[in-house]
Amino acid sequence: MHFSATMQLLASGKFPSLAPRGQLAVDVFFVLSGFIMAYTYLGSFQNEGGWRAYGKFLTKRAARILPLNVAVTAILIAVTAAATWLIGKNPLPVVRLDHAFEDFVTNALMLPGLGLGHSINWPAWSISVEFAAYFFFPLFLAGIFHRKRWVFLVSVLLALALIVWVCATGVDLGPEGKHNHPPPWRDLGRCFSEFVLGLATYRLYASGRLTQLFRRDDVALAISALIVVLVLAGPGNLFILLLFPPLILALALNDGRVAQWMSWRFPYFLGQISYSLYLVHENFRHLASELVRSVHPGPVAPLMAMALAAVFSAAMIFPAWLSYVWIERPGRTLFRNLLTGRKTSAGEALAREPVK
């Protein structure tokens, strides 16, 4: 979606996005995040007690998210400074060298996503608001996994009401570009509501009551097909995102061909590098645009622009893989060792942490 938007600016006419409504993938991410956090950490909160488990939870999540974000922020500023010194031109205008220290601190701490500071890597907004959700994780758990069913139902209804309100207060759920990003309170409401729905999805998953229905291939395929139809048909995004919890439930419980497809090596590999892919791709968009302009100064034919969007999108897998191997994995291990005072290898850290 992002490279389609970039190449559209260079095209002589309109062409369809390679990922229509691709911004809704962020909503899948938020729901999946709630599901995975419950899957991974609910047991420790139930067995170890709240505050002790809470401290461990925040430590592990910080070790998972912060190192790569800090490294990407530092690299963007360093590369921009070096290129500006060598060629006399800033290759990444979003990086402000006259505010380098200020922007490094705010971006390393993921504050721009909360409306504090200038963002030099705007996709990180979703990481920022998800990290904010981690601070409320015990409260969300208390509502969704309360013994009394009415507390669970009220929590789900509040989450649904919040996402309806978020959708009603804006034209869209997400930006096509960096200049029309919604205000932080909408991002937080969007994340918190969908995160809670992800927790509720895990409660249904763990109950086993829906296993027989959702384990079937036809259920997973039907939900997926309905989402595709709604994406292409053009109704409001609310109708689509409400299908994400049942989609994740169907994929989690499936034990047929769909589960086999999801277990293939390439989808799993993309899952491993997805965080790096998300954080490193944005600033390649400007470089891709400059490269195309240098080779072809005039407008590009729509079909060619669409092909270039596909090529540049696929090309991002390589830098994402390099980032995962050389920055994300060792950074996660180093950060966890610093926070816990214990030494673990990169392999041990990876085995203890879910792909997300």
Side-chain angles (χ1 to χ4, degrees), residues 213-229 243 246-251 254 256-259 261-262:
L213 174 62
F214 279 85
R215 68 187 298 182
R216 296 160 41 186
D217 287 334
D218 55 351
V219 172
L221 293 174
I223 296 173
S224 302
L226 181 57
I227 290 174
V228 171
V229 169
L243 290 172
L247 173 66
I248 291 172
L249 187 62
L251 294 178
N254 184 271
R257 290 185 179 274
V258 172
W261 297 336
M262 296 294 288

Side-chain angles (χ1 to χ4, degrees), residues 144-212:
I144 292 299
F145 294 94
H146 199 280
R147 294 179 180 179
K148 295 182 179 180
R149 184 175 298 180
W150 70 266
V151 177
F152 163 72
L153 294 175
V154 168
S155 299
V156 171
L157 289 175
L158 288 174
L160 290 172
L162 179 57
I163 193 58
V164 170
W165 179 64
V166 168
C167 292
T169 54
V171 176
D172 206 347
L173 275 174
E176 291 283 348
K178 64 174 72 71
H179 300 297
N180 60 344
H181 198 83
W185 60 264
R186 284 189 64 221
D187 290 336
L188 288 169
R190 177 182 179 185
C191 174
F192 286 11
S193 60
E194 293 167 353
F195 190 89
V196 169
L197 293 178
L199 294 176
T201 303
Y202 178 76
R203 174 166 174 162
L204 295 176
Y205 166 87
S207 70
R209 296 174 182 175
L210 299 175
T211 301
Q212 291 302 315

Side-chain angles (χ1 to χ4, degrees), residues 29-30 65-66 69 110 123-134 275 278-279 356:
F29 169 76
F30 289 148
I65 288 178
L66 289 179
N69 183 65
M110 300 182 298
W125 72 266
S126 64
I127 311 298
S128 175
V129 295
E130 186 193 352
F131 201 82
Y134 295 158
Y275 182 40
Y278 190 62
L279 283 193
K356 183 174 179 313

Side-chain angles (χ1 to χ4, degrees), residues 192-321:
F192 286 11
S193 60
E194 293 167 353
F195 190 89
V196 169
L197 293 178
L199 294 176
T201 303
Y202 178 76
R203 174 166 174 162
L204 295 176
Y205 166 87
S207 70
R209 296 174 182 175
L210 299 175
T211 301
Q212 291 302 315
L213 174 62
F214 279 85
R215 68 187 298 182
R216 296 160 41 186
D217 287 334
D218 55 351
V219 172
L221 293 174
I223 296 173
S224 302
L226 181 57
I227 290 174
V228 171
V229 169
L230 292 178
V231 164
L232 298 177
N237 289 329
L238 177 64
F239 299 100
I240 302 171
L241 65 88
L242 290 179
L243 290 172
F244 293 154
L247 173 66
I248 291 172
L249 187 62
L251 294 178
L253 289 173
N254 184 271
D255 59 2
R257 290 185 179 274
V258 172
Q260 295 176 9
W261 297 336
M262 296 294 288
S263 299
W264 286 350
R265 179 172 294 183
F266 187 64
Y268 181 77
F269 168 73
L270 291 180
Q272 284 185 307
I273 68 169
S274 60
Y275 182 40
S276 283
L277 182 62
Y278 190 62
L279 283 193
V280 306
H281 81 277
E282 167 61 19
N283 290 284
F284 282 96
R285 293 172 62 189
H286 180 74
L287 298 178
S289 179
E290 292 296 312
L291 176 62
V292 173
R293 282 196 177 103
S294 66
V295 175
H296 193 289
V300 180
L303 187 59
M304 177 58 70
M306 189 174 181
L308 288 172
V311 169
F312 284 123
S313 298
M316 291 301 98
I317 293 177
F318 181 66
W321 174 74

Side-chain angles (χ1 to χ4, degrees), residues 94-111:
V94 72
V95 178
R96 310 182 305 176
L97 293 179
D98 54 337
H99 294 80
F101 180 75
E102 171 192 341
D103 289 347
F104 171 76
V105 172
T106 56
N107 281 266
L109 297 176
M110 300 182 298
L111 297 179

